[in-house]
Amino acid sequence: MRRAGLALAGLLLAGVAGPALAGKANDTLVYASDSEPENLSPYHNNLREGVILARNVWDTLIDRDPKTGAHRPMLATAWTWVDPVTLDLTIREGVTFHNGDPLTPEDVAFTFNYVLTPEAKIVTKGNVDWMKSTEVTGPHSVRIHLKAPFPAALEYLSGPTPILPAAYFRRVGLDGFSKAPVGTGPYRIVSVESGKRVRMVRNDTYWPGSPIGKATIGKLEFRIIPDADSRMAELMTGGVDWIWRVPADQAEQLKADPTLTVLSAETMRVGYLQFDVAGRAQATSPLKDVRVRQAISYAIDRKAMVDNLARGGARVMNAVCFIEQFGCTEEGVPTYAYDPAKARALLKEAGYGNGFDIDLSAYRERDYAEAVIGYLRAVGIRAKLNYLRYAAFRDALRAGKTSIGYQTWGSFSINDVSAFTGIYFRGGEEDLARDPAVIADLQAGDTSTDPALRKAKYRQALTRIAAEAYALPMFSYPSNYAFSADLAFTAQTDEVPRFYAASWKK
């Protein structure tokens, strides 16, 4: 077992059960997180933990080089735009799924046609609803028909659109697939224990020539450990090899342990408050008044939260997107500096001089949500926290049962504003504002083939969202990673731990 060099481990050892089976000696990389995807099918969850599993177990048609951003062949060896709404792709030969089935164009067509059906009930429709249909055009080719021009198509085909095995999926159905998933990626899933772990082994028949290469470490295990202190204790005593989302103060403490490595890196994830503009959660909701939403925006000291809570390279965001995504801009976008006096004046002007009671829901970083509640109470807004699991949080927002949601979104690691702002403000089930002007601008930006026009339309949408205070962007999220010093691991801005690229140090 590793040396428990900090007092924290001594306090928590009583909560650690079982032998330490992780580590270099067992060629088993065990990583832990606090949340479990509601379904292991990559199209039926939108939790970051699900994205990580997908990137290590499934392949996509196209790969995006995390260092250069260039698109390169993966399951598709070539692609050609026939016209702005027709994309032809050549499907790679010699690839097999984990169950031995060969990859064929039929698998590609099945996957994309299936996820477009209402019966599929996929979680994030915005990742695929730009497609109209997919057809097999030859023994090694497919054609994707788009609903409208969509310049970001290749970016989506390199991210949240993995290919499913058609014959196997039809045979076992969604429920069976979630219990025994099958992909073509560098790791294959061998067991699923709901609420506990997912075990994987290296895919030793992984196809040669893959741009991401064959996995180095033989076994990979994802463990669900909801309690942060328990995750820390498991890391320090050798039960797990890798954790993330370590609070900044604890990350500093862990740097003193020579058996561990600590990394801090900004990610594409942005936190923001989303407001129930229509008042579905509360018929007489103060949030219907733009002045109240603006007051909330002025009431919160986001810079102090970055400096004292997030740290690690986080930046205050003023537009509802990640600033480095294509189309994301803060130019001309109204901003809300910390000004509690102005917040109180706006509340008084709106008829809420004595404040009001409201609910606020969150699903992660409870201390961030509690800090927000503290700022709101300081200007008279008495917010009550509902801390939920992610699926319950998401469903409550969609159903209009939450007044304020403390959201975070990592854009499925897609470097295009359509993957963020469009998801929450383009009229879909996540859109709580349903502003026709915003919807029209976002749709125009998504479908234009002129980059300058795309940027202009996105800027108009982002400006109106901020002016109407439909949401308050908070800050980008850093991620503090802590892992065994035996492990060679590189963090990426897109918040996708590529465990297939990790290795044990010699």
Side-chain angles (χ1 to χ4, degrees), residues 149-156 325-329 414-420 422 426 440-462:
F150 189 61
L154 298 185
E155 185 72 10
Y156 282 74
Q325 289 176 308
F326 177 88
C328 185
T329 183
I414 296 171
N415 198 31
D416 192 276
V417 78
S418 63
F420 195 132
R426 202 177 54 213
D441 282 336
L442 291 176
Q443 288 178 338
D446 287 354
T447 57
S448 173
T449 57
D450 179 351
L453 179 60
R454 291 190 76 203
K455 290 180 179 180
K457 290 298 183 180
Y458 289 143
R459 179 181 172 183
Q460 287 178 204
L462 293 167

Side-chain angles (χ1 to χ4, degrees), residues 480-501:
N480 292 315
Y481 306 85
F483 49 91
S484 166
D486 288 333
L487 184 65
F489 169 80
T490 302
Q492 304 289 350
T493 307
D494 64 8
E495 203 182 8
V496 179
R498 291 165 169 81
F499 294 120
Y500 54 77

Side-chain angles (χ1 to χ4, degrees), residues 345-361:
L346 282 167
L347 289 173
K348 183 176 181 181
E349 181 183 323
Y352 298 99
N354 295 322
F356 55 85
D357 297 302
I358 200 81
D359 65 285
L360 183 151
S361 295

Side-chain angles (χ1 to χ4, degrees), residues 82-167:
V82 178
D83 57 49
V85 293
T86 311
L87 179 62
D88 282 353
L89 301 102
T90 303
I91 306 305
R92 187 178 299 275
E93 300 178 59
V95 177
T96 58
F97 286 97
H98 298 150
N99 65 347
D101 289 350
L103 171 74
T104 69
E106 284 76 11
D107 297 299
V108 178
F110 164 79
T111 299
F112 294 158
N113 289 329
Y114 163 73
V115 297
L116 290 172
T117 64
E119 294 76 20
K121 297 181 179 179
I122 67 169
V123 171
T124 306
K125 296 177 182 177
N127 287 337
V128 298
D129 67 0
W130 50 273
M131 291 186 275
K132 180 180 180 181
S133 64
T134 301
E135 63 175 315
V136 175
T137 54
H140 308 296
S141 60
V142 299
R143 172 170 287 183
I144 299 176
H145 298 278
L146 282 63
K147 293 179 180 177
F150 189 61
L154 298 185
E155 185 72 10
Y156 282 74
L157 291 177
S158 66
T161 52
I163 304 305
L164 307 176

Side-chain angles (χ1 to χ4, degrees), residues 165-243:
Y168 177 73
F169 195 96
R170 288 190 181 105
R171 185 167 70 251
V172 302
L174 177 58
D175 184 59
F177 189 79
S178 180
K179 293 174 181 175
V182 168
T184 62
Y187 283 100
R188 60 183 178 87
I189 294 174
V190 294
S191 69
V192 178
E193 297 178 56
S194 180
K196 294 182 179 180
R197 60 177 56 84
V198 178
R199 287 193 172 100
M200 292 158 273
V201 298
R202 181 174 54 217
N203 178 11
D204 287 328
T205 61
Y206 190 51
W207 51 279
S210 167
I212 65 174
K214 189 175 180 179
T216 300
I217 296 174
K219 298 177 183 178
L220 182 64
E221 181 178 324
F222 166 47
R223 286 187 58 193
I224 300 99
I225 306 177
D227 180 69
D229 288 342
S230 296
R231 289 196 302 278
M232 187 86 68
E234 287 274 19
L235 174 71
M236 298 176 68
T237 58
V240 303
D241 300 293
W242 184 100
I243 63 174

Side-chain angles (χ1 to χ4, degrees), residues 6 22 42 62 104 242 267 298 335 371 379 416 419 425 442 506:
L6 302 179
I62 299 170
T104 69
W242 184 100
T267 72
Y298 283 116
T335 60
V379 298
D416 192 276
F425 294 95
L442 291 176
K506 297 181 179 178

